[in-house]
Amino acid sequence: MAVYLLWFFIFPGLLFMAVAGAFLSWFDRKITARVQFRKGPPLLQPFYDFFKLLLVKETIMPKSGSGFVFLLAPLLAVFGATMAGLFILLPLFNIETGFRGDIIVIFYLLTLPSFSYIIGSLASGNPLAAVGASREMKLIISYELTFLLIMAAVIMKSGQKFDLDSIIAAQQSGTPFIGSISGVLLFIAGVFCIQAKLALVPFDMPEAEAELASGIYIEYSGPPYAMIKLAKYIMLFILPAFLVALLMNGMNPGINIVWLILKILGVVLLLTLIRNTNPRVKIKQAARFFLVWMNLLVVIAIVLIALGL
Amino acid sequence: MGFKDYCLRKSLWVFHFGGASCNNCDIEILDCLTPRYDLERFGILLVGSIRHADVLLVNGSINRRDKDRLLELYHQAPKPLLVVAIGACGCTGGIFAEGITFAGPVDKIIPVDAYIPGCPPKPEAIIAGIVKLAGKK
Ligand code: SF4
């Protein structure tokens, strides 16, 4: 029991993921600044932001709407992100093997933050938040099928293994999945899915700074907003880690942890560069992009896997 | 200076309220975020929602209609909130001070923490003002 609590709260749980995610968020902002020839924020900036929101600012409750649900939603988001991260990181760090079918559980837990944002923003009773929530819903409907297909393809490629640990083991005994044509296709689709899951540009219409004034988060202030930030930091860490585990070999024991860090940084770098070089698309375009093109890509990959490529 | 103050100072999120401005001040404010001046290196971000703001940046002359909006924004913001009046219009009324619709200056409506005069103030002046503001508390 005690060891479970340790896993959940310290390593590789809440604390570790929060610190790693905050670092990645700084990395993302710094790269963004460098791309725009700026200097960028200092290393501890995400911590300042988080503690300022948590300790200094007051919480304002919306006048209309449901206060309880409004406050519960950010906690739910942090919980979902942490649980998903736990199921991803335990096999990735070779601490525990997980159970048969845990990849399906991870899939559902990863959608929990998005859903709780929707619930929270609808509970706030703000019309702009409602528009943001409806966009987030449409976005989820668009990318979720692609994400599921990617996981189906990975399961197929690993020889019907339904748990993350055996998928990593299958790659470590053979070649990493990304070393084949189908793997590259899956990686491309996976990166775009992560982009949409994190609501980064070009898929940031739920929080659209310019037209919705941060949309789904518009009513949050103080500690609840700090929780949302925390959930976002964690998601920024665990989604690239998940992709690394699914397609890029996970981590071999020993010194290879450096290699793992480089792989995760590489994926985040890719996400950042995509977000800095693209405009925001309309929700219709995003839906078409995922439902037609990305699904087509993954189906091609599945056919290639069936042919053994 | 405590840990809390330090965090607040290092991460000032700015909400920009443009009153009946001639639009020059707005442009100078946006200039501060460009690569040349880059306020993000002090942790300053422009946010879209007043609920996330730590600094309320007011520029332009405040006329009677703006007054209600400004008061509403001030009450909607989570405290502690710093208010900065930018430009001659924000500080005193400037060339609009004699106008019939004029209801300002800003410090008659809400308490102001820093004044940045100029018509419009240069980005350097705005940065100097913000840095002084961060050191004030
Ligand atoms: S202070 Fe000068 S530049 Fe600024 S809004 Fe007023 S008139 Fe325009």
Side-chain angles (χ1 to χ4, degrees), chain A residues 32-220:
Chain A
T32 306
R34 296 311 304 171
V35 169
Q36 300 166 353
F37 303 106
R38 291 188 286 121
K39 198 154 166 285
L43 175 59
L44 290 178
Q45 190 58 47
F47 297 94
Y48 297 143
D49 289 351
F50 176 73
F51 283 113
K52 175 201 74 179
L53 287 169
L54 188 66
L55 300 175
V56 182
K57 304 298 283 183
E58 77 177 339
T59 309
I60 295 186
M61 300 297 294
K63 200 155 120 200
S64 57
S66 158
F68 176 69
V69 181
F70 178 72
L71 290 182
L72 192 68
L75 288 179
L76 202 61
V78 173
F79 171 76
T82 313
M83 283 308 281
L86 219 53
F87 283 122
I88 294 167
L89 293 188
L90 285 177
L92 188 61
F93 288 148
N94 301 318
I95 302 174
E96 183 78 356
T97 52
F99 52 90
R100 197 175 146 76
D102 65 354
I103 192 165
I104 311 289
V105 178
I106 293 171
F107 173 75
Y108 279 103
L109 283 174
L110 279 178
T111 55
L112 203 53
S114 308
F115 274 113
S116 42
Y117 298 152
I118 293 176
I119 294 169
S121 59
L122 288 179
S124 74
N126 185 312
L128 289 181
V131 176
S134 102
R135 290 184 183 186
E136 173 93 33
M137 262 183 247
K138 285 172 197 142
L139 198 58
I140 291 178
I141 293 169
S142 322
Y143 68 67
E144 217 63 330
L145 180 61
T146 311
F147 202 55
L148 202 59
L149 280 176
I150 291 172
M151 289 189 355
V154 170
I155 289 171
M156 206 168 140
K157 202 164 168 59
S158 64
Q160 317 301 329
K161 300 277 178 17
F162 277 88
D163 56 316
L164 203 53
D165 195 51
S166 335
I167 288 174
I168 296 173
Q171 296 181 63
Q172 284 174 350
S173 54
T175 53
F177 291 159
I178 196 167
S180 57
I181 305 171
S182 55
V184 172
L185 294 185
L186 289 180
F187 181 76
I188 296 171
V191 164
F192 280 112
C193 275
I194 291 182
Q195 194 89 9
K197 258 186 180 308
L198 292 171
L200 298 175
V201 188
F203 305 112
D204 70 331
M205 21 354 218
E207 49 188 288
E209 281 281 327
E211 71 228 47
L212 291 188
S214 37
I216 40 181
Y217 314 121
I218 189 168
E219 285 289 338
Y220 281 102

Side-chain angles (χ1 to χ4, degrees), chain B residues 36-118:
Chain B
R36 190 174 178 94
Y37 299 106
D38 186 25
L39 274 179
E40 203 190 357
R41 65 203 150 107
F42 303 121
I44 294 173
L45 281 185
L46 211 56
V47 292
S49 158
I50 185 67
R51 298 274 197 237
H52 309 161
D54 308 300
V55 178
L56 178 59
L57 214 59
V58 187
N59 74 300
S61 82
I62 306 298
N63 58 29
R64 285 191 213 144
R65 290 204 176 200
D66 292 337
K67 189 179 164 185
D68 302 336
R69 313 294 191 277
L70 184 58
L71 271 175
E72 197 175 329
L73 273 180
Y74 185 73
H75 292 309
Q76 279 184 347
K79 310 290 174 303
L81 179 75
L82 303 166
V83 181
V84 181
I86 287 208
C89 288
C91 295
T92 63
I95 54 170
F96 302 109
E98 306 282 303
I100 43 166
T101 56
F102 184 67
V106 180
D107 57 1
K108 268 210 195 129
I109 304 169
I110 52 177
V112 174
D113 295 88
Y115 301 87
I116 302 177

Side-chain angles (χ1 to χ4, degrees), chain A residues 278-299:
Chain A
N278 283 284
R280 175 159 65 239
V281 295
K282 279 184 267 180
I283 192 79
K284 211 166 90 189
Q285 294 166 322
R288 166 161 314 158
F289 178 75
F290 281 107
L291 288 177
V292 178
W293 300 115
M294 284 297 120
N295 283 355
L296 189 67
L297 203 66
V298 183
V299 168

